[in-house]
Amino acid sequence: MIAGGRSRVLLMHPILDPGPAILAEAAEVISYPPDRPLDEANIRQAAEGCIGIVSQLMDPIRETVLSSPGLRCVSNVAVGFDNIDLAAATAHKVMVTNTPGVLDDATADFAFTLLMATARRVVEADNFTRSAGFHGWAIDMMLGQDVYGATLGIIGIGRIGRGVAHRAKGFNMRVLYYDPQPLPQEAEQQLNATRSSLDRLIAESDFISVHVPLTKETLHLLSTAQFNAMKRNAILINTSRGPVVDEAALVEALKARKLAGAGLDVYEREPAVHPQLIPMPNVVLAPHIASATVRTRSEMSAMAARNMATAVRGGRPPNLVNPEAKR
Ligand code: NAD
């Protein structure tokens, strides 16, 4: 709080309507200079005198930033918050909020989009057709994998994982899931999903879709041993966070044909993409757009702004992930 003035909030990146108006009603909004590097020292400097920071997943919000005097809330415009050191935030009594729920359908839709596109070689086929490669129907042209009736392994059956299982029902897929948190029995029946060990899921699935948060436990959850154990026709879909998959190991496994392909929305060192993935025709690559629909990104912006506005007014933000930090 500035003496005699309004509370200040640092907006790291532009957000969509109606987010800006919600923020402006609650606080004086300072925009992060667009040309300034996104490192901790620069963010700390920009956050000087601010009660809140509205951040996004590329912003490293750790000890240096979280120890800023007067900082009370970091509102992340994302459901994942692995860019924020939660323990340090709680220690400094800085509330952290996220945007769960509003992006489930858009993200599950996109996981399924990548699954279909990779299985049926849509990007490769589009490039082929545009580059005048189509000279007539051929019985063996661009053969792909069956989706209907195949086995889908879902790693992490939270909000988005359940959304993917729900879509898989329409494709008559057998669903195996791996999650330390079992689904209630009626949800298993309704989604036609069977709980499994990670090993069994990997050995039996034609498609494996990853929906876990990035944590110490899920870092490189899929690496060489898991790729070696996959079916040779298996396709990996990752719309969670890049470091959940050991990208270098994935490249080696794809080269050795340990699995058939991958559909990736996220990368280990974003925005860098492993250079050896680029020329692979059996890999579909997207620039972290799983939640990118007009409605979803607008709702995420509004939700993040509302979380911040509530914190600025001294209330408990609706999507608080560390309640221990509330003073
Ligand atoms: P959620 O919390 O509802 O579900 C996560 C699930 O993973 C939970 O059921 C949890 O029990 C499970 N899990 C945790 N650790 C696990 C482990 N070691 N092994 C197996 N399962 C484990 O989260 P959500 O809303 O479904 O989102 C999941 C993740 O997807 C987010 O954390 C985010 O990183 C990512 N995401 C990415 C995009 C994108 O644009 N690509 C969009 C939305 C979400």
Side-chain angles (χ1 to χ4, degrees), residues 79 107 158-160 178-180 211-213 218 239-241 265 288:
V79 66
T107 307
R159 288 171 293 249
I160 297 167
Y178 168 68
D179 196 309
H211 302 285
V212 293
T218 61
T239 57
S240 65
R241 284 288 183 267
D265 186 46
H288 205 146

Side-chain angles (χ1 to χ4, degrees), residues 57 78-82 98-101 103-104 106-108 110 154-162 178-183 198 210-215 217-219 221 238-241 244 265-266 270 288-292 297 300:
L57 53 87
V79 66
F81 43 85
D82 46 274
N98 68 344
T99 64
L103 40 59
D104 298 354
T107 307
F110 198 72
I154 297 179
I155 302 180
I157 197 125
R159 288 171 293 249
I160 297 167
R162 285 198 298 274
Y178 168 68
D179 196 309
Q181 210 54 42
L183 285 174
L198 184 59
V210 188
H211 302 285
V212 293
L214 174 60
T215 62
E217 290 73 35
T218 61
L219 176 72
L221 187 64
N238 190 11
T239 57
S240 65
R241 284 288 183 267
V244 174
D265 186 46
V266 288
E270 276 180 37
H288 205 146
I289 56 166
S291 69
R297 288 281 169 87
M300 289 166 68

Side-chain angles (χ1 to χ4, degrees), residues 3 43 57 65 77 82 90 102-103 113 125 134 150 188 239 245 267 285 290 324:
I43 299 173
L57 53 87
V65 179
V77 194
D82 46 274
T90 305
V102 290
L103 40 59
T113 303
F134 181 36
E188 282 191 353
T239 57
V245 172
Y267 305 90
L285 304 172
E324 319 87 276

